Amino acid sequence: MVVLFDIDKTLLIASHCHFYSFKQAFKDLYKADIILNIPNLQGMTDKQIIYQLAKKNNINIRDFNDIIERIVYHYKKNVKREKIKPLNGTSEILDTLKNMGIPTGIVTGNIEDIAWIKLKKAKFEDYFNFGGFGNEGCQRSTILQLAIKRAEKIYNKINPKETILVGDTPRDMQAGKKIGTLTVGVATGDFTIEELKEAGADQVLKSLKEKEKFIKIIRGMIQ
């Protein structure tokens, strides 16, 4: 069994420094003053957001790696302004899974370097050593598959049906259903319990403070 977590509004909350870095990167490389006006972007990967911003602003991305590097550069430059805080209950859940010997990984829309910075600031980096990241695909199902493949290199063959994906957006739930994982929605982001259920969540929690309910889900799969 493997449990995979989204980052933003699932494990932690942060400021808007992340998207400020997008604006600065586009200004550096394309002299464009972009506006982050993408509707319903919750759960999108950063790669998807970059290409949608480019399309909206009539920009041809010359080198994807260049813009990733500039985004990361500006994020690191401004990260001291980030007000990253672990969400209540997350540390307890991660400690419990660690004590149970259950591997935990990341599936996030964040660019990889930014994801690890956020986890480190929340003091979560020691719980994770693999994942799928938002610079690696435009669809969450793609990065979910990457995370499972990386887990297999460490823990041998993994059945998606024995994998749990935890997230706060419908896109998390839809990705899990597409790949065949069990999906657990947490209503700590911009979506209600009902909206996460409608998106296909197998289980929904108000937050990860509901530790006993979460562990019951785990034990139900182990049995």
Side-chain angles (χ1 to χ4, degrees):
M1 170 182 279
V2 172
V3 182
L4 303 169
F5 290 89
D6 171 51
I7 293 180
D8 294 311
K9 298 182 182 179
T10 296
L11 291 175
L12 55 84
I13 52 174
S15 70
H16 299 291
C17 180
H18 188 162
F19 289 120
Y20 169 81
S21 302
F22 276 58
K23 287 176 66 82
Q24 293 304 112
F26 273 95
K27 187 174 289 187
D28 287 354
L29 295 174
Y30 302 103
K31 312 301 180 191
D33 190 13
I34 63 167
I35 298 172
L36 297 170
N37 60 347
I38 298 173
N40 188 29
L41 59 71
Q42 298 96 328
M44 283 187 182
T45 69
D46 280 356
K47 185 172 186 177
Q48 187 178 12
I49 293 169
I50 288 166
Y51 279 111
Q52 288 212 15
L53 286 171
K55 185 177 180 181
K56 278 179 172 287
N57 291 273
N58 297 312
I59 294 169
N60 179 33
I61 301 291
R62 294 187 293 268
D63 189 316
F64 182 70
N65 289 330
D66 280 353
I67 198 161
I68 291 295
E69 287 176 6
R70 294 309 294 174
I71 291 169
V72 172
Y73 166 78
H74 283 290
Y75 188 81
K76 287 180 177 178
K77 186 177 177 181
N78 292 279
V79 70
K80 61 183 177 293
R81 297 195 290 116
E82 282 282 55
K83 298 177 181 178
I84 290 172
K85 296 179 181 179
L87 284 165
N88 291 337
T90 51
S91 297
E92 292 82 356
I93 288 285
L94 293 172
D95 280 334
T96 300
L97 293 174
K98 186 175 182 178
N99 292 336
M100 293 174 73
I102 295 174
T104 51
I106 289 295
V107 177
T108 176
N110 286 284
I111 294 165
E112 183 171 2
D113 286 354
I114 292 175
W116 291 119
I117 291 169
K118 288 182 179 182
L119 290 170
K120 185 175 182 178
K121 284 183 74 70
K123 296 182 170 53
F124 287 156
E125 76 273 24
D126 291 341
Y127 295 104
F128 305 103
N129 61 356
F130 70 92
F133 302 93
N135 54 297
E136 299 181 302
C138 286
Q139 301 301 320
R140 289 195 81 95
S141 56
T142 300
I143 61 174
L144 172 55
Q145 285 179 310
L146 285 172
I148 291 172
K149 286 179 182 178
R150 286 167 182 155
E152 288 181 327
K153 291 181 180 179
I154 305 170
Y155 305 106
N156 299 318
K157 186 66 178 175
I158 291 170
N159 185 345
K161 292 181 180 178
E162 296 174 352
T163 300
I164 295 176
L165 178 66
V166 185
D168 67 286
T169 74
R171 284 188 172 93
D172 296 301
M173 304 302 102
Q174 291 157 5
K177 302 313 285 184
K178 185 172 182 178
I179 303 304
T181 70
L182 185 135
T183 52
V184 176
V186 286
T188 43
D190 300 320
F191 298 93
T192 64
I193 288 174
E194 290 72 24
E195 287 170 325
L196 293 169
K197 285 180 179 178
E198 287 173 8
D202 295 301
Q203 303 283 345
V204 182
L205 309 176
K206 292 178 182 177
S207 74
L208 289 177
K209 286 196 296 184
E210 294 187 275
K211 187 176 82 168
E212 294 306 317
K213 187 174 179 180
F214 188 82
I215 298 307
K216 185 176 180 180
I217 295 168
I218 299 283
R219 289 185 173 139
M221 289 190 69
I222 293 173
Q223 295 171 355

